[in-house]
């Protein structure tokens, strides 16, 4: 009996690169509070109404919980979906409504 795993691996890798929403590129410093309630600085490099990617010095783990302080919307509860080499992917618990998101994006772009 033989198995062909290459097609399974390719499908899985391709699926992980798909996003339901596009990301907007930004360069914005934000504060986040980790699972230990300690403040951490994030450099947000892209954002969407559903989450963000950021660079940070702290070593977070997948599944860690954060409260990210963002302009316009305030403290946003979120979960770290992945962490790799000083970068983290964060999923917000609830999507930011579009009107607030566009205002948030304008503030981030203005600051950067």
């Amino acid at each position: 009996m033989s198995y062909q795993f290459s097609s399974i691996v390719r499908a899985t890798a391709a699926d992980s690169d798909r996003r339901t929403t596009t990301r907007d590129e930004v360069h914005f410093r934000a504060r986040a509070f980790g699972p230990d309630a300690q403040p951490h600085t994030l450099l947000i490099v892209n954002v969407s109404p559903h989450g963000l990617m950021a660079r940070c010095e702290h070593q977070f783990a997948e599944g860690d919980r954060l409260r990210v302080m963002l302009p316009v919307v305030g403290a946003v509860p979120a979960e770290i979906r992945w962490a790799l080499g000083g970068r983290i992917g964060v999923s917000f618990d609830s999507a930011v409504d579009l009107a607030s998101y566009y205002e948030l994006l304008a503030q981030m772009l203005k600051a950067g």
Side-chain angles (χ1 to χ4, degrees):
M1 186 170 6
S2 67
Y3 296 96
Q4 293 186 343
F5 291 105
S6 60
S7 62
I8 295 170
V9 171
R10 275 195 305 270
T12 303
D15 290 345
S16 68
D17 283 343
R18 292 185 193 146
R19 291 191 179 124
T20 57
T21 58
T22 59
R23 299 278 176 120
D24 293 296
E25 290 187 31
V26 295
H27 189 265
F28 184 80
R29 290 204 186 280
R31 181 157 309 254
F33 295 89
D36 57 1
Q38 294 298 310
H40 302 281
T41 300
L42 304 179
L43 176 59
I44 300 172
V45 296
N46 68 46
V47 65
S48 80
H50 302 280
L52 59 84
M53 184 182 85
R55 297 186 188 283
C56 63
E57 292 182 13
H58 185 76
Q59 295 297 316
F60 289 107
E62 184 177 320
D64 281 351
R65 304 283 306 159
L66 293 177
R67 282 181 307 136
V68 183
M69 306 304 291
L70 296 174
V72 179
V73 295
V76 179
E79 179 181 348
I80 295 180
R81 301 301 294 238
W82 59 267
L84 180 66
R87 295 178 299 145
I88 56 173
V90 175
S91 175
F92 301 145
D93 287 359
S94 299
V96 175
D97 69 90
L98 285 180
S100 297
Y101 176 72
Y102 290 128
E103 209 175 320
L104 160 76
L105 187 58
Q107 290 291 320
M108 288 178 143
L109 293 171
K110 181 179 170 182

